[in-house]
Amino acid sequence: MTRPVTVGLDGSPASLAAADWGAREALRRELPLCLVHAWEWQPYTNAPLAGTEGPRQWSERVPREAAADLRNRYPDLDITTDHRTGPPPEVLCDAAREAELLAMGSARIGTLAGFLLGSVGLSTAAHSERPVVFVRAGTTADDEHRPATDGRPPAAMAYRPVVLGLDLSRPCAEVIRFAFDTAALRAAPLRVVHGWHPPAYIAYGAGVRPTLRADMAAEQTETMRTALRPWRERYPGIDVIEQSASGPPARHLVAAGAEAGLVVIGRRTGRSWVGPPRIGHVAHAVLHHCPAPVAV
């Protein structure tokens, strides 16, 4: 069975940006595109509050109009729509189960970005069995490419690098494979970022040999190289850039995301729907502050 690239659509500018990103990704992967809209998504959308058109009619119109717009811009892409009824996180997780990946919109960066990402996005990221990509409102195709300095159009430039957040305490093969596959599809370099924390006693320096921090840094770098060696051999055509640095991993990933086309991270969570959604503090921080699209 061919898995589509699926987009969760709610009519907001962010979700329309995600639909456009999903269309481009579907073309890169030579897959169909499916636009999914959940009927109970009304409280989170731009649904009309008054007028002759009711919320149900508006809900059915959103994916239909988005698909028509995308067909005009991507005539070679196979696009379908799916209008479902149910709680949005559950609907989207069900749709993602049948997809290669799920794309969703997220709020613009700002003081309220953490709140505007909201329970739908966080819950979907926490429970989806497939990768979930969050796309900021205003993201365009030009943002995927390196800026031109000689007047050429952005599409003629190389793709920006893919960034992978690597947790050496328990590296996940699915996360690593997704990042390498995505870089290969774009013929883009892959920057692998590993942030680590030195023991607290190093900060005080009492009884610590002067070279200890440098020795620890060298050890982390070597561990990173060892973990990536089989992946380098499996993907020999990818330019892999290794970055091992002390400090909060989220800080390094957000900084790398400023120049990235996509940031790929893992999550730490259970599968229970009981209680607030949890994806881990690193994933949470990156989702709220990274300017590039983020795949969880």
Side-chain angles (χ1 to χ4, degrees):
M1 182 185 72
T2 300
R3 293 178 176 269
V5 171
T6 296
V7 179
L9 198 65
D10 68 354
S12 68
S15 77
L16 295 176
D20 194 65
W21 184 94
R24 299 192 302 274
E25 190 67 15
L27 287 172
R28 281 189 286 264
R29 294 175 179 266
E30 299 182 345
L31 296 174
L33 177 71
C34 180
L35 305 179
V36 177
H37 181 79
W39 165 238
E40 290 188 5
W41 206 338
Q42 295 176 59
Y44 307 97
T45 67
N46 302 327
L49 299 178
T52 58
E53 183 183 51
R56 178 79 186 190
Q57 289 73 27
W58 175 89
S59 174
E60 294 172 348
R61 178 169 56 84
V62 165
R64 185 172 64 248
E65 291 185 353
D69 177 63
L70 291 174
R71 289 190 183 103
N72 287 333
R73 289 186 287 124
Y74 305 101
D76 296 330
L77 183 59
D78 179 12
I79 304 174
T80 59
T81 61
D82 189 358
H83 189 275
R84 302 190 184 189
T85 301
E90 296 180 20
V91 167
L92 292 174
C93 285
D94 285 342
R97 193 174 295 116
E98 306 161 3
E100 185 69 16
L101 61 86
L102 171 71
M104 297 181 63
S106 64
R108 286 185 180 273
I109 301 174
T111 56
L112 294 179
F115 299 98
L116 294 176
L117 184 59
S119 60
V120 173
L122 287 175
S123 187
T124 303
H127 298 100
S128 174
E129 298 177 7
R130 304 295 296 170
V132 181
V133 179
F134 290 89
V135 181
R136 302 286 185 190
T139 299
T140 67
D142 292 351
D143 298 325
E144 297 179 338
H145 298 270
R146 295 184 183 275
T149 57
D150 55 3
R152 285 184 292 173
M157 304 300 294
Y159 277 100
R160 290 177 181 267
V162 174
V163 171
L164 166 63
L166 181 62
D167 182 359
L168 289 178
S169 66
R170 46 178 177 178
C172 176
E174 292 181 18
V175 177
I176 299 173
R177 183 182 299 108
F178 182 87
F180 271 86
D181 283 343
T182 302
L185 285 168
R186 301 175 182 220
L190 177 64
R191 178 179 293 277
V192 185
V193 177
H194 166 57
W196 55 278
H197 294 281
Y201 63 81
I202 289 184
Y204 297 99
V208 175
R209 69 177 187 275
T211 62
L212 181 57
R213 179 184 288 271
D215 292 344
M216 293 186 64
E219 181 182 353
Q220 292 290 329
T221 298
E222 183 57 32
T223 302
M224 184 179 189
R225 288 174 180 167
T226 301
L228 291 174
R229 187 171 295 120
W231 296 97
R232 282 179 174 272
E233 295 172 354
R234 195 174 303 175
Y235 296 85
I238 295 180
D239 179 18
V240 180
I241 304 155
E242 299 170 354
Q243 178 184 337
S244 177
S246 64
R251 185 183 69 192
H252 295 302
L253 287 168
V254 170
E259 302 297 329
L262 182 71
V263 175
V264 181
I265 56 176
R267 64 176 185 185
R268 296 197 178 196
T269 181
R271 292 295 174 89
S272 173
W273 288 92
V274 179
R278 292 182 175 86
I279 58 175
H281 67 280
V282 173
H284 195 274
V286 172
L287 276 176
H288 284 70
H289 299 292
C290 184
V294 178
V296 182

